Amino acid sequence: MVWEAFDINVLNESTFLFRPTQDHPKLVQNGTLIVNDESSELSWTILQDQKGPLVSLKSIDHGDASAILSFGFDDPNQKLVIWARIIPDQNAAGIRGGIFRADQEIDSEFLDSLTPDAFASGDNGVVCEVSVNGKRHALGVAAQVDVFMIDADRTDFNMSNPSAWIYIRDLAYQVKKPEAPDPAQMPFVIAGGLNHSVNQPIHENMSLCALVLAQVTRSDITYETVADYAASLKFDEVTKRWAAGEFEYIRGVIWNDDPACALFVDNPYLNSLFGTGFDWFLSFKRTDWPRYILPFLSILSGNPASILDAKKDEKENAIIARSHYGDLQFLHSMGCKKDEDPKETKRKIMIWLEVMYKLACGNQGITPGTRISDTPLREFFNDQTAPQASEDLRRLLLGKTTHLRPEYLKLEKRALGSCFHTIQDSYAVGHCKRILSNPEDKISTKQKPSVIDMAKAALFSGIMPVSVSNPASATVEVFKFKDGRPGRFKAIQNFHCYDGQDDDKHGFYDKVDDVSQLKPDQPLSFSNIIGGLDAIDKCSILAKAWSTRESWDGVKGVGKWLDEDVFALAGDASPSNTEVSI
C-alpha cells in the first residue's frame, strides 16, 4: 500500500488561540490541503483545548508534496510555523517547525535551517511536542523533539496513512502569567457615566481582546485609548480619527445594555462622550417618577432637549427596560420570561445575530437603510415602539444620538459589537448555564457581600436584597477555579432570566478588583473571568469571519457555526429560570 495522505492533528493544551496569518498557507507544492473536509477560514483556527484534525496533506499523482502553515497568536512578535511533507512512493513523511519571529521570511534558506531533530520553542514559553501514530517523541528541556522520516522498511505503522500529533503548551508562560482578579468578583458589565466611572469596561476589554486575536485592530489598543482619544493632547489627528473609528466597536458592545444610547451625549463630533447616566438609570429601574419631576431629571441626564417632551423621552427609553426585564432579554442571551422554552430563546438570539452580522458585512442583503419591518426583527417592533418598525436599522443603532457626523459613524462595527455582547453574555454565569468541561477544577467558596454591594443591588434592581432585610442569610455560595485551570464550557443547559434573580449572588459576578489588569493583547489576563476565555475565543472567530465577509448562509456559513457551536443546546436543556450557578 502506498500512502496517499499525511494527517496532522493538534492538541492545544495552552491558553492561546492560534490564528492563520495573512499569508497562510505560505506554500503548497504538488499537493492539496483538506481542513476538516472544508475550506472555510473558520476551520483553520486552533482553539484552546482543541483536540483533533488540523489538516490533511494529500499528494498529487503520488509525488513529493509539502506545505507550510503559519499561525499568529497572542504574542504579536512571534508565530507558529509548521512544515509538513509526504513522499508517497517512498512511504516517507516528515514534519518540522516551531515558534519563530513574526517577521521571519519563509524561504528555502529558512527551511534548510530546520534541523530534523528539533521543534523550536518560543521566547514566551510556548513549547511543542510531536508524536507519530501514537508514539510520542521525547520532550526535553529545550522542547527538542524528533522530526520523523519513516523509511519504507518500517512495518510498525501497518502501512496505513501516517498521522502526526502536535502538542502545544505554554508551561513557561503560565509561570509568568500576571495575577488575575478573583473570578467570583468578575463581571460581564459595561462602563458608563461621566468619565465612564460607573461600573467597569469588562465587555469592552473582552471585545478588544477578540479583535486583537482576529488581527483586525492594532495589538496595542486599549479601552482607555479609544475612549479618551478626544481628551488626549498627545494624539495627532490621524490617531484620533483611528481611535474614534475603533470606539464604534465599543458603541456596539454597549448598545445591548443601552439600546436607546441614553448613556451618551448627542454630540456630532464625539462618539465617546458619556453623559451622567441618569437618563439610562431611570429607564433601567422602570421607576414611575411624577410627571413634573421628569423634565428636571432629563436635564441631569445630559440630554436637556428632552425637557420639551418628557413623554417622548420616556417612550424612547422604554427599549432599555425591554432589553433588561422584558421581551428583548435575548440580547443578553437570556430568556424573556421565566419558563421560556430554550429553543424559543435561541430562535430570537439567532434572529438578532443574523440581522446584525449581515448588517456588519454590508454585502449580504441588509444595509443601514434597510427598514426594520423588512427584516426578521419586525416581530419585536411596531408603530408604538421606539424605534418604529417602519424606521431603518441606522435609527435602531443610533438611538437618541442621531447627530453624529458620518465620518465618525461606523455602523458595521456597531453591529459586530452587538453580536459580541450577545455571545459574551452566553458564557456569563448569571445569564446561561452551560455544560462544564472540567468540573474537577471547580472550587466552591462562601462569601459575604459588602454593604456597598448590597446598596448597589438595591439601587439597580429596585428591590431590597434579602441580605439587607435578613443579614443572617447574606453569605452565599460562589465558585472559582483552580489556578491555571480556568473553567471551559460547552453546550447551553439553561437560559436564565434577569427579573427575580438572587441579587446577592449575581452581585458576586458583578465587579473586578482592578480593571487595569485586563490587557487586550494578553488573553491570559482574562483567564480568571469565568467563561471569559470561551467568550473571547468565539468572538475572535466571528471577527475573523467578518473581516473576510464570510457568508452567514449555507452549510459552511457563520450562521451554521453559531447554531451548532456557540449556541448549541444540550440534550437536557430546560426552560429559563432565575438561578445563578455553574
Side-chain angles (χ1 to χ4, degrees):
M1 176 181 176
V2 177
W3 290 347
E4 297 179 348
F6 180 21
D7 298 325
I8 302 171
N9 305 278
V10 64
L11 177 60
N12 186 6
E13 298 176 331
S14 75
T15 53
F16 291 132
L17 179 88
F18 289 82
R19 236 208 234 273
T21 58
Q22 293 182 350
D23 59 355
H24 168 90
K26 178 70 177 179
L27 180 66
V28 180
Q29 291 185 335
N30 196 40
T32 58
L33 294 173
I34 300 178
V35 188
N36 295 336
D37 295 323
E38 53 183 81
S39 59
S40 169
E41 178 71 23
L42 295 176
S43 304
W44 283 106
T45 302
I46 303 177
L47 300 173
Q48 296 169 16
D49 296 329
Q50 176 175 332
K51 181 179 181 180
L54 174 60
V55 65
S56 181
L57 174 62
K58 296 192 68 174
S59 171
I60 297 177
D61 298 329
H62 299 98
D64 184 350
S66 63
I68 299 174
L69 313 179
S70 177
F71 297 86
F73 58 108
D74 307 50
D75 187 341
N77 298 315
Q78 301 192 74
K79 63 184 175 183
L80 167 66
V81 178
I82 300 171
W83 179 29
R85 183 184 181 192
I86 181 173
I87 310 175
D89 59 0
Q90 298 181 24
N91 276 8
I95 185 169
R96 307 177 186 181
I99 307 298
F100 302 94
R101 297 193 322 272
D103 59 357
Q104 173 67 58
E105 288 292 330
I106 309 297
D107 51 23
S108 58
E109 182 179 354
F110 169 73
L111 296 178
D112 290 340
S113 71
L114 298 178
T115 57
D117 61 350
F119 205 99
S121 60
D123 294 337
N124 58 5
V126 178
V127 296
C128 298
E129 179 182 357
V130 174
S131 72
V132 186
N133 285 28
K135 295 190 175 182
R136 185 172 297 196
H137 290 229
L139 175 65
V141 175
Q144 298 287 321
V145 302
D146 294 330
V147 177
F148 65 99
M149 291 297 293
I150 306 167
D151 297 325
D153 59 356
R154 293 286 296 274
T155 59
D156 55 336
F157 294 100
N158 299 318
M159 302 305 290
S160 60
N161 288 337
S163 177
W165 279 87
I166 300 174
Y167 297 81
I168 305 174
R169 303 187 179 92
D170 61 339
L171 302 181
Y173 190 84
Q174 288 181 14
V175 174
K176 300 184 295 182
K177 70 181 181 180
E179 292 186 5
D182 186 340
Q185 304 291 329
M186 298 300 292
F188 282 24
V189 297
I190 61 167
L194 293 176
N195 196 31
H196 38 88
S197 57
V198 179
N199 274 338
Q200 298 166 322
I202 306 303
H203 270 297
E204 295 90 328
N205 276 293
M206 290 172 64
S207 298
L208 293 179
C209 183
L211 292 168
V212 170
L213 284 176
Q215 298 179 327
V216 298
T217 192
R218 287 170 22 181
S219 60
D220 62 345
I221 193 171
T222 66
Y223 174 72
E224 291 72 26
T225 297
V226 296
D228 298 333
Y229 70 91
S232 178
L233 298 178
K234 66 180 180 180
F235 287 169
D236 55 37
E237 287 305 313
V238 174
T239 303
K240 286 186 177 182
R241 185 64 61 89
W242 167 81
E246 301 305 86
F247 193 77
E248 284 293 280
Y249 291 117
I250 303 303
R251 285 294 298 259
V253 171
I254 292 175
W255 190 92
N256 295 44
D257 277 328
D258 179 29
C261 299
L263 289 172
F264 294 91
V265 175
D266 189 9
N267 186 297
Y269 300 98
L270 298 175
N271 62 350
S272 63
L273 185 59
F274 285 93
T276 63
F278 275 102
D279 208 9
W280 178 90
F281 170 69
L282 297 179
S283 301
F284 177 79
K285 281 199 64 179
R286 305 166 296 173
T287 302
D288 295 324
W289 294 88
R291 179 64 46 210
Y292 63 86
I293 292 180
L294 286 177
F296 300 100
L297 294 176
S298 296
I299 293 176
L300 290 175
S301 74
N303 293 297
S306 61
I307 191 173
L308 300 176
D309 194 345
K311 186 67 176 179
K312 178 182 178 181
D313 199 53
E314 184 179 25
K315 180 178 179 180
E316 289 282 344
N317 288 349
I319 192 173
I320 297 174
R322 291 177 65 194
S323 71
H324 288 281
Y325 297 95
D327 63 320
L328 299 182
Q329 288 186 70
F330 62 84
L331 293 172
H332 304 282
S333 291
M334 302 185 81
C336 296
K337 59 182 180 180
K338 191 175 181 180
D339 295 324
E340 183 174 79
D341 189 307
K343 293 181 180 179
E344 174 64 7
T345 305
K346 178 178 175 178
R347 182 188 71 83
K348 296 174 184 176
I349 290 172
M350 294 302 295
I351 285 176
W352 179 258
L353 292 176
E354 177 179 3
V355 173
M356 287 298 108
Y357 179 79
K358 289 183 175 180
L359 173 60
C361 289
N363 63 348
Q364 300 184 31
I366 293 181
T367 68
T370 301
R371 291 187 302 179
I372 297 174
S373 59
D374 292 333
T375 75
L377 295 179
R378 55 183 169 270
E379 71 172 275
F380 309 113
F381 298 90
N382 53 47
D383 59 358
Q384 299 299 314
T385 61
Q388 297 180 342
S390 59
E391 296 184 271
D392 59 26
L393 295 175
R394 182 193 310 274
R395 169 72 171 83
L396 174 63
L397 292 184
L398 284 178
K400 299 193 295 184
T401 55
T402 58
H403 293 93
L404 186 65
R405 292 178 62 86
E407 59 263 37
Y408 299 106
L409 178 63
K410 306 292 182 184
L411 280 179
E412 71 277 8
K413 293 183 177 181
R414 290 198 187 194
L416 182 67
S418 178
C419 293
F420 284 175
H421 191 123
T422 302
I423 291 173
Q424 291 167 14
D425 275 351
S426 76
Y427 287 93
V429 176
H431 294 245
C432 289
K433 180 178 176 62
R434 288 178 176 267
I435 295 175
L436 180 60
S437 297
N438 54 327
E440 68 279 4
D441 296 319
K442 185 174 70 170
I443 301 173
S444 173
T445 183
K446 299 287 186 179
Q447 296 198 33
K448 187 174 183 178
S450 66
V451 174
I452 294 178
D453 289 335
M454 293 187 287
K456 285 179 63 178
L459 184 65
F460 283 97
S461 67
I463 59 176
M464 187 67 68
V466 64
S467 54
V468 175
S469 57
N470 183 15
S473 66
T475 300
V476 296
E477 181 183 33
V478 293
F479 297 95
K480 59 180 70 176
F481 287 83
K482 298 176 182 177
D483 289 343
R485 300 295 301 174
R488 304 311 296 261
F489 298 87
K490 297 186 289 188
I492 296 172
Q493 295 175 297
N494 186 273
F495 292 104
H496 303 320
C497 56
Y498 187 74
D499 205 3
Q501 277 192 331
D502 185 323
D503 294 290
D504 289 332
K505 186 173 291 188
H506 198 112
F508 279 108
Y509 301 94
D510 235 16
K511 66 179 186 295
V512 55
D513 293 336
D514 184 2
V515 73
S516 66
Q517 294 178 344
L518 304 180
K519 307 293 185 182
D521 64 340
Q522 298 177 23
L524 281 177
S525 67
F526 296 83
S527 62
N528 274 18
I529 299 179
I530 296 179
L533 292 180
D534 287 308
I536 291 172
D537 284 353
K538 304 306 182 183
C539 287
S540 177
I541 293 174
L542 184 69
K544 188 67 175 180
W546 168 76
S547 70
T548 57
R549 300 306 189 263
E550 290 205 28
S551 175
W552 171 274
D553 302 308
V555 295
K556 300 177 182 178
V558 172
K560 188 77 168 177
W561 168 71
L562 286 168
D563 177 37
E564 297 182 351
D565 186 318
V566 181
F567 289 96
L569 296 178
D572 61 348
S574 58
S576 59
N577 60 35
T578 58
E579 296 178 3
V580 181
S581 62
I582 300 176

